[in-house]
Amino acid sequence: MNTPIAYDMLVIGSGPAGQKAAVEAARSGASVALIEKTRKLGGACVQRGTIPSKTLRENALRVRNMRMNAQLSNFKLAEDTELATLITRLNNVLNAHDEYMRKQLERTQVNLIHGRARFLSPQDVEVESVRGEKQTYSSGHILIATGSHPRKPPDIPVDHEHLFDSDSILSMMYLPKSLTVLGGGVIASEYASIFQALGVSVTMIDKYPHPLGFLDNDLTQTFLNDFTQMGGTWKGNTKVTRCYWNGMDAVITECDDGTEVRSEKLLCAAGRVANVKELEISNAGLQLNERGLIDVDDQLETQVRGIYAAGDVIGPPSLASASMEQGRRAACNSLEITSGVVHSVIPAGIYSIPELSSIGISETQAREKFGDVFVGVARFDEIARGQISGALNGMLKIVCDTDGKTILGIMIVGEGATELIHIGQMALINNSPVDIFVETVFNFPTLAEAYRAAALEIIHQRKINSSRS
Amino acid sequence: MTSAKVSPQPGAAALERAMEKLVNTGAIDVPMLPEVAGKVVRLAQDADSDAAELAKLIQSDQILAGHVMRVANSALYTPNASLVSLQQAIARLGMKLISEIALGASINSSLFNAPGYDDHIQYVIRHSLLSGLWAKEIARACRRNVEAAFLTGLLHDIGRPVATQAIITKAKKLEIPIQKPVLFALENQFQRTIGVKVVEQWEMPSTVVEVVRYFDDYNAAGEAKNQTMIACAGSLFASHFMCRPGDEGCMTRGELIGQAVLGDLDLYQDEVEEILEKEDVVKSAMEALSA
């Protein structure tokens, strides 16, 4: 073994968690090395997932809007549209992001190491360069932030040519005529609705009755209404028995109800698993749990002292936003730096068409936990801005405790949901009563007014209840 | 691949100037992609088309039909049965593969008229086909576009035979007796620009055009950088496997694994080894496609 190079902290992986951890640790004066397997920084989030899919989404929205406003523009997407033309500016976005991250790492004097890491012991990590050279690094503080990759069910022959996973779906050359999406989770719903908005005939198949099962039914139903109105097909409660490229012209998906779905391409979105294959975590005394993830405590420390983990390797919520905060906190905890107030409520954003976003607990969870909670709903078609902009398929829901004042959760479906949620987030983390949405004057006309409409509904219910008692 | 420098052969400078003029004015004779091949490629990309339609089209070209039947009956695709009908063969091979066969079959030496250089052109074509097949496997490993990888691998050097043909024609016109090293040097000099013109004229997807344009400098390829690197890597794999013992400039397996482009694709050495394990699959496909 070569002489190990010592650092105060080693961070493995430069995705949202690793990058924020490295910067936070370096800012506290620690010497930090950030090890990244690929040439580009940012991990799957930047290179294959979040940013590319959101770039495609922007164009899908434009296409959809142009179709919806047929009286303004007689728009038709050209036959054989190259996918690259629909992910315009992606390279610029990625390069800008890469440059920004590199500058930030340079500024904070984080040493960036390009190579593949593997544990030799709980304190020693060997890094193999892409050319095969090896160097060992050591530290008493190590953060695993290696992210995740698509789970490949053994019976789905993903070949990245006809059957794709979420890492390869955007490598398609042309927009297909039809697409089968296996799964009903966040990634499946996002891609299914984005491709449907682009005019691809999409069939979503999942074993559960509704997609996005962690959300309330009325929200997922609004998503499904929009999806089916665009021409998409949802096949819930359906198990896929076999899936294959027929060697001719279609991917065949056979279902347990005897039906057969034919499509030009298929996307398998069956969840994600931790990227630890090459890390040899057993050398550090670590092992994966039954879900294929690394267990951590509330300090984000693994069962091995000094080794922390953050981001997708520790599992849900698997959001870039949450990973960033986890990374920062893990660095602080590891180096015993005060991390500031940690808010446990974080928003979830689903960039489907339409968008969905939620914070706190759902109505279903609230009723299970507290009983007769108060719920206020505002539909976007009842809000002036919704009518003006044509964003009619949307709703905002506020869930309050049995006192009708304490906010428990907020859920939004409809365009702008991922931005609108932050108004509710501020109220929630400041423990503001629901009344704040009525006492606050919102711009008119805006979709944010939905907060006021939903809050008024709760206050009205509260008054009726109190007059009864 | 040949890389001789222009020797001080009499008339070589004049020929070089004439070629420069030809390329700059865009007066290069780009061979027509056979009509049937073009139609097959388009039909294969059309989800509304069916096997019967494709069979009808292929039947209109006896040579292509024969080629498809040979490939369909090769050990790779039909290990147990012998196919007799074209429609049955299309059903077995698939529309996409048929388009690859059609394009592969169309880009053959008969497309070019370069007397005395038939072997050279044959080599370039075989190398290109093998590059396309390896590029597919590399693209799969990198989660990049597999279809584009085949096309870009197949067409990355399309400028070479066209350049050879143009140089011979021009030399004949100027009555300059041409020596092989001079021709190869001029081919190297002009093939890239000519290749871009060919794929543009054949209306290939923009990615293919960009890969051909930036093949010699993938760092400048912008958004096509990854596809260009894959085509480059495919070409290196093809060179390695086509090299015969005793040939000059052969890459050993170790040298191939150590190529910079593979590192730039973030392929670690064990991952390259995994790709190399596809040798039999690629070899079978090559035999079938060039049957």
Side-chain angles (χ1 to χ4, degrees):
Chain A
M1 190 171 86
N2 49 37
T3 312
I5 300 172
Y7 280 92
D8 294 334
M9 186 163 195
L10 293 179
V11 178
I12 310 171
S14 74
Q19 197 226 345
K20 295 292 173 206
V23 169
E24 185 74 25
R27 278 186 180 147
S28 75
S31 61
V32 182
L34 175 61
I35 304 160
E36 171 53 50
K37 184 188 167 186
T38 64
R39 201 161 291 277
K40 292 269 182 186
L41 296 175
C45 161
V46 172
Q47 303 303 330
R48 297 189 189 276
T50 309
I51 291 185
S53 66
K54 273 58 178 178
T55 311
L56 178 65
R57 183 183 185 277
E58 283 303 312
N59 278 324
L61 267 182
R62 286 189 191 113
V63 169
R64 188 198 182 200
N65 289 341
M66 282 192 274
R67 283 204 181 112
M68 280 168 63
N69 295 291
Q71 68 273 38
L72 295 176
S73 64
N74 190 11
F75 179 79
K76 193 172 181 290
L77 205 61
E79 290 269 325
D80 294 334
T81 302
E82 283 184 52
L83 205 56
T85 63
L86 291 165
I87 318 178
T88 47
R89 293 172 41 247
L90 176 63
N91 221 36
N92 294 345
V93 174
L94 292 183
N95 286 341
H97 202 86
D98 192 72
E99 200 183 322
Y100 154 74
M101 282 192 287
R102 271 176 213 279
K103 278 186 181 159
Q104 194 183 35
L105 294 175
E106 264 173 42
R107 216 170 35 236
T108 47
Q109 294 181 314
V110 172
N111 189 15
L112 182 61
I113 298 163
H114 177 206
R116 198 167 60 178
R118 76 178 185 106
F119 278 99
L120 299 176
S121 73
Q123 283 88 34
D124 295 307
V125 172
E126 182 186 76
V127 179
E128 181 194 3
S129 83
V130 78
R131 315 264 181 246
E133 294 128 9
K134 290 172 182 170
Q135 174 61 52
T136 307
Y137 299 88
S138 68
S139 178
H141 309 280
I142 300 176
L143 174 68
I144 302 171
T146 45
S148 63
H149 63 275
R151 191 171 75 82
K152 192 180 167 189
D155 51 345
I156 310 288
V158 171
D159 60 4
H160 309 291
E161 191 173 0
H162 310 105
L163 293 90
F164 293 86
D165 62 25
S166 56
D167 266 7
S168 61
I169 184 74
L170 296 182
S171 77
M172 283 190 300
M173 199 166 193
Y174 295 99
L175 206 56
K177 291 268 162 49
S178 52
L179 177 75
T180 300
V181 176
L182 304 185
V186 172
I187 294 173
S189 302
E190 286 184 351
Y191 276 123
S193 59
I194 289 171
F195 279 108
Q196 186 59 56
L198 285 165
V200 177
S201 174
V202 178
T203 305
M204 272 179 100
I205 307 174
D206 196 37
K207 60 185 171 184
Y208 295 110
H210 301 283
L212 304 164
F214 56 94
L215 294 171
D216 289 332
N217 280 353
D218 48 0
L219 271 100
T220 53
Q221 201 50 55
T222 306
F223 164 77
L224 271 183
N225 289 346
D226 228 46
F227 177 63
T228 49
Q229 269 169 26
M230 286 193 290
T233 304
W234 163 254
K235 264 177 85 71
N237 286 324
T238 306
K239 203 167 168 261
V240 170
T241 50
R242 193 176 166 223
C243 214
Y244 61 97
W245 164 246
N246 72 354
M248 183 169 81
D249 58 353
V251 177
I252 309 293
T253 306
E254 293 173 356
C255 304
D256 61 350
D257 58 5
T259 57
E260 202 179 85
V261 177
R262 288 169 66 88
S263 60
E264 197 181 331
K265 305 280 183 189
L266 176 140
L267 165 66
C268 175
R272 296 181 71 88
V273 289
N275 278 335
V276 291
K277 189 181 150 205
E278 294 138 355
L279 211 49
E280 295 186 31
I281 56 171
S282 57
N283 290 344
L286 282 169
Q287 63 203 21
L288 294 178
N289 63 23
E290 69 285 354
R291 288 176 300 148
L293 304 164
I294 295 178
D295 280 328
V296 289
D297 61 17
D298 57 0
Q299 296 295 297
L300 296 154
E301 191 168 21
T302 66
Q303 68 226 46
V304 176
R305 199 166 159 72
I307 301 181
Y308 289 71
D312 280 12
V313 282
I314 64 169
S318 299
L319 296 166
S321 55
S323 298
M324 288 181 205
E325 181 55 11
Q326 285 170 358
R328 193 184 71 81
R329 279 168 52 200
C332 290
N333 296 342
S334 172
L335 298 170
E336 295 176 8
I337 310 163
T338 312
S339 60
V341 179
V342 177
H343 293 289
S344 56
V345 279
I346 51 166
I350 300 162
Y351 292 85
S352 50
I353 296 177
E355 286 182 353
L356 292 125
S357 196
S358 69
I359 190 160
I361 58 173
S362 67
E363 181 185 345
T364 314
Q365 288 168 323
R367 288 198 188 283
E368 279 167 9
K369 204 169 170 185
F370 303 106
D372 285 336
V373 293
F374 286 78
V375 177
V377 173
R379 300 198 172 276
F380 284 3
D381 57 6
E382 294 162 1
I383 307 291
R385 184 60 182 261
Q387 287 291 348
I388 293 166
S389 59
L392 304 175
N393 286 333
M395 62 178 278
L396 181 149
K397 179 158 75 170
I398 302 174
V399 181
C400 277
D401 205 348
T402 47
D403 62 2
K405 280 192 172 181
T406 312
I407 303 166
L408 296 174
I410 294 153
M411 277 131 282
I412 309 172
V413 55
E415 281 322 304
T418 55
E419 297 283 357
L420 279 174
I421 199 75
H422 297 122
I423 296 173
Q425 181 183 18
M426 288 303 122
L428 196 61
I429 61 178
N430 281 303
N431 298 315
S432 305
V434 71
D435 307 61
I436 193 157
F437 298 128
V438 178
E439 290 156 5
T440 306
V441 176
F442 289 98
N443 276 329
F444 178 84
T446 56
L447 287 177
E449 271 193 297
Y451 274 104
R452 187 183 171 84
L456 275 170
E457 212 176 273
I458 290 176
I459 292 167
H460 180 64
Q461 289 168 31
R462 194 172 71 201
K463 280 180 184 161
I464 293 172
N465 268 21
S466 62
S467 65
R468 277 183 193 149
S469 56
Chain B
M1 193 41 41
T2 47
S3 60
K5 285 195 174 142
V6 180
S7 69
Q9 185 209 322
L15 189 56
E16 187 181 356
R17 280 196 301 277
M19 279 302 294
E20 239 162 26
K21 198 175 163 193
L22 199 67
V23 168
N24 291 341
T25 55
I28 291 286
D29 260 347
V30 172
M32 292 288 287
L33 185 67
E35 203 184 340
V36 175
K39 278 186 189 164
V40 170
V41 173
R42 276 193 291 278
L43 207 57
Q45 283 167 3
D46 180 0
D48 298 332
S49 65
D50 59 25
E53 217 175 326
L54 192 62
K56 203 172 145 192
L57 183 64
I58 293 171
Q59 269 160 350
S60 70
D61 184 322
Q62 277 186 324
I63 297 168
L64 187 62
H67 192 82
V68 169
M69 289 309 291
R70 271 202 302 278
V71 175
N73 277 310
S74 67
L76 178 69
Y77 300 107
T78 319
N80 303 319
S82 188
L83 299 166
V84 286
S85 93
L86 189 58
Q87 199 156 342
Q88 191 188 6
I90 294 168
R92 188 175 289 269
L93 296 181
M95 308 272 272
K96 286 277 189 286
L97 187 57
I98 292 293
S99 81
E100 288 181 4
I101 295 165
L103 202 58
S106 307
I107 297 162
N108 57 33
S109 51
S110 66
L111 205 60
F112 308 100
N113 178 26
Y117 288 88
D118 298 338
D119 287 353
H120 171 61
I121 285 173
Q122 199 64 255
Y123 177 89
V124 172
I125 287 163
R126 279 185 65 78
H127 182 270
S128 296
L129 191 52
L130 193 58
S131 301
L133 293 171
W134 274 116
K136 275 178 91 165
E137 297 308 321
I138 295 161
R140 236 187 278 278
C142 296
R143 309 284 184 272
R144 299 284 171 186
N145 188 282
V146 178
E147 291 165 48
F150 177 77
L151 272 180
T152 53
L154 179 70
L155 298 175
H156 78 276
D157 260 354
I158 192 67
R160 283 192 186 279
V162 183
T164 302
Q165 187 177 299
I167 295 160
I168 292 171
T169 310
K170 190 51 90 179
K172 211 171 175 182
K173 203 172 171 188
L174 295 175
E175 294 177 349
I176 300 169
I178 193 160
Q179 292 170 359
K180 276 194 175 176
V182 175
L183 182 131
F184 290 146
L186 289 173
E187 182 201 279
N188 270 342
Q189 192 176 334
F190 295 107
Q191 63 99 1
R192 194 58 55 211
T193 321
I194 292 172
V196 173
K197 194 172 154 51
V198 174
V199 287
E200 277 177 346
Q201 208 145 312
W202 284 358
E203 293 180 352
M204 287 291 148
S206 57
T207 315
V208 177
V209 177
E210 293 306 286
V211 170
V212 175
R213 194 190 311 276
Y214 293 106
F215 188 83
D216 298 323
D217 181 15
Y218 57 75
N219 283 314
E223 296 194 14
K225 186 177 171 184
N226 278 305
Q227 285 297 346
T228 312
M229 289 197 289
I230 288 167
C232 287
S235 170
L236 287 169
F237 272 58
S239 299
H240 170 71
F241 284 102
M242 279 180 74
C243 225
R244 286 158 305 189
D247 279 0
E248 206 183 318
C250 278
M251 260 183 299
T252 62
R253 194 178 169 96
E255 283 166 345
L256 175 67
I257 293 169
Q259 288 295 311
V261 69
L262 299 172
D264 290 346
L265 278 166
D266 280 319
L267 287 169
Y268 286 72
Q269 303 198 345
D270 55 319
E271 292 168 337
V272 179
E273 294 277 9
E274 267 177 46
I275 298 171
L276 284 165
E277 281 170 22
K278 302 274 174 67
E279 186 183 345
D280 287 343
V281 177
V282 172
K283 212 170 155 183
S284 304
M286 182 70 187
E287 278 166 13
L289 286 172
S290 53

